Amino acid sequence: MDLGINGRHAIVCGASQGLGKGCALALARENVNVLLVARTAETLTLAQQEIQALSEAVITTIAADITTDEGRDAVMAICPNPDILVNNAGGPPPGDFRDWTQKEWFDAVNNNMFSAIDMIRRCIDGMAERGFGRIVNITSISVKTPMPGLGLSDGARAGLTGAVASIARQFVQHNVTINNLLPGLFDTDRGNGYLAYRARGEGADVDLYVKDYFADKNPAGRLGSCEEFGAACAFLCSALSGYTTGQNILLDGGQFPGTF
Ligand code: NAP
């Protein structure tokens, strides 16, 4: 399927590894020029080389912390008129609600809610004027169903989801869409790290815990792949998806047990 985004320009945040890199790769395969954002220059360069080898588009990088104003200024200075924005940053640490003070909560809200909203603010008027914009926020299954230990993530991402619901309706008439992709458990540092956290909490061997977890709790019986995640993102960024906005799309191997 031709997604109709050849030659477009994308900012992909949190793109040196994991789900963000999966999104960047899928967009680059559609010949979208991609600016990869992450904090660590070395891993960014490795990702850039890997993605560039598979695409004729221009793949560039910037080492910046997307959760700071300075970082977002630097990103926008390099790519002031993106057609596509993928919002993503590292997730908050898992833990016990009783240990989290104002600092932990404010950090989570800044990193996983406000930063995405501020990037949307910076990009959306230009997208509307040009008559094309696709924004995808990487959130979490924890928006739909609580995950043990992930209260900071549940709270901050629920806030982003609520904010985006109204913004999305405001801009779709200009062919600018905003959707959220909700990962279940994916084969990344974060996904594997969370399973290890759960295993430790139960005093279990990590490998055995993971095997039992997927046998018991996940109909697909496995972690998702970054390639699968990236493909869903690329479709939401396509020219064909202009009638889909404000949606929360779960990619979890059927783990969430609801009908809707
Ligand atoms: P990951 O493998 O840890 O990758 C995170 C990426 O984001 C890296 O490229 C990292 O590079 C970058 N990053 C982190 N903080 C950043 C910042 N402040 N500014 C710019 N870049 C930053 O994580 P992932 O598994 O891909 O997860 C992506 C998001 O989805 C996270 O928010 C995670 O909580 C959420 N999620 C993941 C899963 C899962 O199973 N994987 C499930 C639910 C939700 P640097 O460290 O070099 O900056």
Side-chain angles (χ1 to χ4, degrees), residues 5 7-13 23-24 27-28 32-37 58 60 75 79 81-86 127 134 237:
I5 46 178
R8 295 277 185 192
H9 291 266
I11 297 171
V12 181
C13 305
C23 296
L27 291 170
V32 172
N33 304 301
V34 184
L35 174 62
L36 310 174
V37 184
V58 180
T60 48
V75 169
C79 186
N81 296 308
D83 305 300
I84 293 167
L85 167 67
V86 179
M127 288 175 169
R134 298 287 181 265
C237 294

Side-chain angles (χ1 to χ4, degrees), residues 45-235:
T45 303
L46 291 175
Q48 190 265 347
Q49 288 166 349
E50 183 186 331
I51 296 170
Q52 188 65 83
L54 299 168
S55 174
E56 288 174 9
V58 180
I59 312 302
T60 48
T61 65
I62 176 169
D65 185 340
I66 205 64
T67 67
T68 65
D69 263 335
E70 300 72 32
R72 293 188 288 274
D73 287 347
V75 169
M76 295 308 297
I78 292 194
C79 186
N81 296 308
D83 305 300
I84 293 167
L85 167 67
V86 179
N87 279 315
N88 179 34
D96 186 312
F97 164 76
R98 287 159 293 195
D99 296 330
W100 297 329
T101 63
Q102 186 187 59
K103 172 162 180 14
E104 282 80 20
W105 279 106
F106 280 22
D107 282 352
V109 168
N110 179 61
N111 298 354
N112 296 110
M113 178 184 170
F114 176 72
S115 297
I117 292 170
D118 196 50
M119 283 301 290
I120 294 170
R121 179 186 68 79
R122 290 163 182 259
C123 296
I124 206 159
D125 284 331
M127 288 175 169
E129 278 161 24
R130 295 188 298 278
F132 182 91
R134 298 287 181 265
I135 300 174
V136 172
N137 303 306
I138 300 180
T139 65
S140 174
I141 186 176
S142 70
V143 170
K144 276 188 82 95
T145 182
M147 298 286 277
L150 290 185
L152 290 171
S153 174
D154 301 347
R157 296 185 203 274
L160 174 63
T161 305
V164 158
S166 61
I167 302 170
R169 270 76 183 182
Q170 215 179 317
F171 283 86
V172 65
Q173 64 188 301
H174 302 295
N175 193 23
V176 178
T177 66
I178 315 179
N179 292 289
N180 304 314
L181 279 179
L182 284 55
L185 286 165
F186 276 77
D187 190 7
T188 69
D189 284 2
R190 170 78 179 182
N192 289 302
Y194 175 66
L195 285 166
Y197 163 83
R198 292 274 299 263
R200 279 196 305 276
E202 296 187 17
D205 171 83
V206 175
D207 290 340
L208 275 180
Y209 180 86
V210 170
K211 194 164 163 271
D212 290 349
Y213 182 94
F214 281 101
D216 286 354
K217 296 194 172 64
N218 187 294
R222 63 174 177 86
L223 291 155
S225 76
C226 295
E227 191 178 11
E228 290 168 317
F229 194 86
C233 178
F235 178 72

